[in-house]
Amino acid sequence: MGIRPDGVTPITNQGLARYTGTLFVGVLVVQGYTAYVAQGRVTAGTALLLAAVALYMVVFTVRNGTALRQRAYGTYFAHAVAYLIINGSFWLHAWILVLNGRDETLQQGWSGPLMSMSVLWGAGLLVHTIGAMLSRGYEHVEV
């Protein structure tokens, strides 16, 4: 993996768990707003709350960028967990709406989070996955 810069240590499991937990809570707020305030519809309020979650992801990645890069697949983990939590929450919400017979709600604003966000972000995650697999220096690191 090479030589670490002085004073730089890899991000810990605790740091990654805090990131995951904060994303989860942020998504609960987004989905709670969408379900209860917006009555199941994706609105500008949903987008603003989702933007706040995205801002947290950017701040976390910038503040911990070096520490993430010092851990095997650290940046990949941060990317993958964000994808799964955020996109998974929208798919789960849509599934709950369908099970409750509220399919018509999915006609209003849901194509963005369900299709566009999942597919475009998924393509980026696929590229990141391939890059992580092809990266050098982690052959002898237990992950």
Side-chain angles (χ1 to χ4, degrees):
M1 191 157 116
I3 300 171
R4 283 198 182 110
D6 288 338
V8 176
T9 58
I11 194 162
T12 63
N13 287 346
Q14 183 180 14
L16 290 172
R18 212 174 11 254
Y19 169 72
T20 302
T22 304
L23 278 179
F24 188 77
V25 169
V27 165
L28 281 177
V29 170
V30 172
Q31 297 303 339
Y33 170 86
T34 304
Y36 297 108
V37 177
Q39 298 173 340
R41 289 173 172 71
V42 174
T43 64
T46 304
L48 287 173
L49 289 171
L50 192 55
V53 172
L55 180 61
Y56 167 73
M57 291 166 42
V58 169
V59 169
F60 176 86
T61 304
V62 168
R63 290 178 109 186
N64 298 288
T66 304
L68 284 166
R69 286 188 298 276
Q70 294 302 313
R71 179 174 180 142
Y73 306 106
T75 54
Y76 178 73
F77 174 84
H79 188 178
V81 77
Y83 177 84
L84 291 171
I85 289 173
I86 293 171
N87 286 292
S89 74
F90 278 100
W91 280 100
L92 179 62
H93 192 149
W95 183 66
I96 290 169
L97 288 172
V98 169
L99 286 179
N100 287 317
R102 297 192 55 211
D103 310 39
E104 75 285 346
T105 306
L106 296 176
Q107 300 299 319
Q108 300 171 13
W110 279 88
S111 63
L114 290 181
M115 297 302 175
S116 301
M117 188 167 68
S118 294
V119 171
L120 295 174
W121 192 353
L125 184 60
L126 176 62
V127 169
H128 196 169
T129 301
I130 293 167
M133 288 185 333
L134 296 176
S135 67
R136 306 301 299 167
Y138 295 125
E139 292 88 356
H140 306 294
V141 176
E142 289 185 31
V143 181

